[in-house]
Structure formats: C-alpha cells, structure tokens
C-alpha cells in the first residue's frame, strides 16, 4: 500500500497583533490609519489585524469582529495573538472583549491594557493632554469622554475619580461625559459657578476619545443640544483644536496627540513581554 504523506501546516512563531477598536465610518478614521502605520513601523515582521467591536460599523465597512479576526489568523497558522484595544477606560466593553477573545479555542491570547488602566498611565496621559489646555488667564477647558449609561460599569469609578483629579490639578478645567456622569449639565453648572465665569468667556472643548467622530460632531460641537450650543447660549466663545494630517484638517482626538499612540504601543510591548514570561 502506498504511504500517504500528511500535509502539515507550518505554525507561525511570532504572535499576531490584533488592534480592537469600536470602529468608525467618519473622517476620524485617519487617526486609526495613523496608529496602524506606527504599529507596522514598530513591528515590521508581525501580522497586524484590525477588529471592530461595533456590529453596525462592521456591516458598513466589512472589517471583521474579534472572533472573525482570530479565526482568520488561526486558519493562517497562528496559535498566539496579542489583543490591543484602543479603549480609553477599562470598562464593561473592555472586559467583554477580553473575555470573548480568551474563549477562542486553540489560541493563546494576551490582552494589552487600556490607555487609563493604571494611575501611572493617568499621570502620563494628562502630562501630554494638558499641553493643549487654555491657561487660567485665557479661559476654561472641558474634557469630554464617552461615558457609559450603565451604573454597574466599572469605568464609572474612574470617571468620578477623574473629575476630582482634574479639578485638583487644573482649576480652570472640568470633566464631563456624553453618556453618563458627570454629564453636561453637571460640568457646565460648575463652570458657570466659577469665580471667573463672567470674566473669561472662552471655552476649549477637549474630546477625550481616540477619534473625534460622530460624538464630536453632534454632542460636542453640534448646533442643537450640544456642549457648544449650551455654552454659546450663555455668551461663551467655543473652540476645539484641530490638526493637519496628510494635507487634511481634522478635529484633534487623542489619536492625534503627540505621545498618545506611543503609550498604546507600550501596552502592546508589555503584552509581548507577558507572553514570553507566562
């Protein structure tokens, strides 16, 4: 009987890197593209894959979800993967992503941490972001994060802590969320009650999100029921920083701040080290 030779797949030695993001169909995707370029420059010999957590955006863009991405990698011979989320806060969405990733059979998964996973990271991030704040004699700043509608979301601890952290470090700066607490009404009431509220009528909105997408366009700078419209109704001049990237002008989300993408790269590097040790 003729012996049959079994074909064996050559398994990849390096882990693949999966960048997990909520996703977007707006112009803000340029921040994703910039980060993708930086990841590929740091890891030129590694397979880089993207996964979107939003089902709606996956349907519109064709980008795979996390399980689809892992299945494609497994089919290509990968048995190890680093999952790096582009999430700012370690909330419910982050934990669901990690739990889903680790349930994938046949793959060894190590997850990178979020941008604000540790207080050390909080200090590092605000050292970078604060360079864009209006000074005390120039006006006020409002940092606006996404927030969560869930009272049980663990990210609420950090949202509430950040309000205190920011108030203590920057007397002319306030913290708010689009979908949660502290909310718009809370942060604006604190601004209007400030001793210099009538003297300094300039406010800079700082979107505390990786990309400035639909939330920025509607909830922060929209014409109706936005931070901008509420402030303008009280006589304030409202601005938001922009950045020029590849000859195009974009509103400045965290992905366009010098140093922020590098912090996410550090999260990947830490996950790589953990994969080697454990």
């Amino acid at each position: 009987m003729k012996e049959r030779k079994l074909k064996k797949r050559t398994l990849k030695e390096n882990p693949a890197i999966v960048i997990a993001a909520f996703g977007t169909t707006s112009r803000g995707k340029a921040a994703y593209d910039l980060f993708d370029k930086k990841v590929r420059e740091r890891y030129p010999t590694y397979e880089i894959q993207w996964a979107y957590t939003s089902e709606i955006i996956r349907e519109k863009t064709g980008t795979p979800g996390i399980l689809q991405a892992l299945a494609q990698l497994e089919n290509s011979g990968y048995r190890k993967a680093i999952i790096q989320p582009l999430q700012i806060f370690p909330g419910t969405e982050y934990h669901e992503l990690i739990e889903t990733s680790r349930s994938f059979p046949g793959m060894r998964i190590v997850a990178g941490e979020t941008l604000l996973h540790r207080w050390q990271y909080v200090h590092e991030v605000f050292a970078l972001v604060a360079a864009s704040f209006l000074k005390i004699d120039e006006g006020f700043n409002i940092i606006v994060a996404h927030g969560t509608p869930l009272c049980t979301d663990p990210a609420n601890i950090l949202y509430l802590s950040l309000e205190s952290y920011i108030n203590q470090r920057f007397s002319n700066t306030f913290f708010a969320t689009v979908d949660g607490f502290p909310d718009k009404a809370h942060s604006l009431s604190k601004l209007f009650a400030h001793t210099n509220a009538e003297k300094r009528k300039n406010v800079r909105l700082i979107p505390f999100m990786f990309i400035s997408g639909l939330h920025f366009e509607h909830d922060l700078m929209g014409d109706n029921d936005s931070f901008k419209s509420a402030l303008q109704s009280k006589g304030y001049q409202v601005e938001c920083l922009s950045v020029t990237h590849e000859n195009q002008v974009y509103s400045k989300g965290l992905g366009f701040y010098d140093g922020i993408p590098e912090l996410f790269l550090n999260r990947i590097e830490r996950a790589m080290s953990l994969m080697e040790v454990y």
Side-chain angles (χ1 to χ4, degrees), residues 12 16 23 60 103 117 141 211:
K12 310 295 185 181
K60 291 181 178 180
S103 69
H117 220 87
N141 308 286
I211 64 171

Side-chain angles (χ1 to χ4, degrees), residues 15-224:
I17 300 174
V18 182
I19 309 301
F22 182 82
T24 185
T25 56
S26 74
R27 294 178 68 248
K29 185 179 179 296
Y32 286 166
D33 295 337
L34 176 61
F35 184 68
D36 180 81
K37 179 180 179 181
K38 290 179 179 292
V39 175
R40 294 180 189 278
E41 288 174 349
R42 176 75 70 91
Y43 299 101
T45 62
Y46 285 73
E47 174 70 17
I48 312 296
Q49 176 70 276
W50 280 74
Y52 283 174
T53 60
S54 168
E55 182 179 357
I56 294 175
I57 297 178
R58 290 200 302 267
E59 291 177 352
K60 291 181 178 180
T61 63
T63 304
I66 187 64
L67 292 180
Q68 290 173 298
L70 291 175
Q72 292 170 7
L73 291 169
E74 191 273 342
N75 190 54
S76 298
Y78 286 92
R79 294 296 180 267
K80 298 181 290 184
I82 302 295
I83 309 295
Q84 179 54 55
L86 290 187
Q87 291 158 348
I88 311 303
F89 297 87
T92 297
E93 185 178 336
Y94 170 78
H95 292 291
E96 288 179 348
L97 171 68
I98 303 311
E99 183 178 349
T100 300
S101 301
R102 288 176 175 165
S103 69
F104 189 86
M107 291 279 282
R108 184 177 171 214
I109 305 293
V110 175
E113 296 178 328
T114 62
L115 187 65
L116 300 184
H117 220 87
R118 303 169 184 266
W119 280 108
Q120 171 193 341
Y121 300 164
V122 173
H123 299 317
E124 292 172 348
V125 169
F126 277 93
L128 298 172
V129 176
S132 297
F133 290 175
L134 289 176
K135 296 180 173 56
I136 294 176
D137 60 348
E138 295 174 327
F140 299 96
N141 308 286
I142 303 179
I143 301 170
V144 186
H146 187 284
T148 173
L150 299 175
C151 292
T152 56
D153 195 311
N156 282 311
I157 298 173
L158 188 48
Y159 288 133
L160 294 172
S161 298
L162 277 185
E163 182 185 29
S164 176
Y165 176 88
I166 291 167
N167 289 163
Q168 291 182 30
R169 295 194 63 196
F170 312 101
S171 61
N172 66 329
T173 302
F174 305 90
F175 179 73
T177 66
V178 171
D179 193 8
F181 192 85
D183 57 12
K184 178 177 62 181
H186 176 78
S187 62
L188 293 185
S189 66
K190 294 184 69 173
L191 187 156
F192 298 150
H194 194 280
T195 54
N196 292 320
E198 294 301 320
K199 299 177 184 177
R200 297 164 190 161
K201 288 288 191 176
N202 296 317
V203 176
R204 178 170 291 172
L205 295 178
I206 311 287
F208 205 67
M209 310 163 191
F210 192 85
I211 64 171
S212 293
L214 295 179
H215 276 303
F216 170 81
E217 296 171 4
H218 299 300
D219 298 298
L220 273 71
M221 298 295 286
D223 294 329
N224 299 308

Side-chain angles (χ1 to χ4, degrees), residues 229-241:
S229 62
L231 287 161
Q232 288 181 333
S233 70
K234 296 291 186 179
Y236 288 86
Q237 299 292 320
V238 182
E239 65 179 31
C240 185
L241 293 176

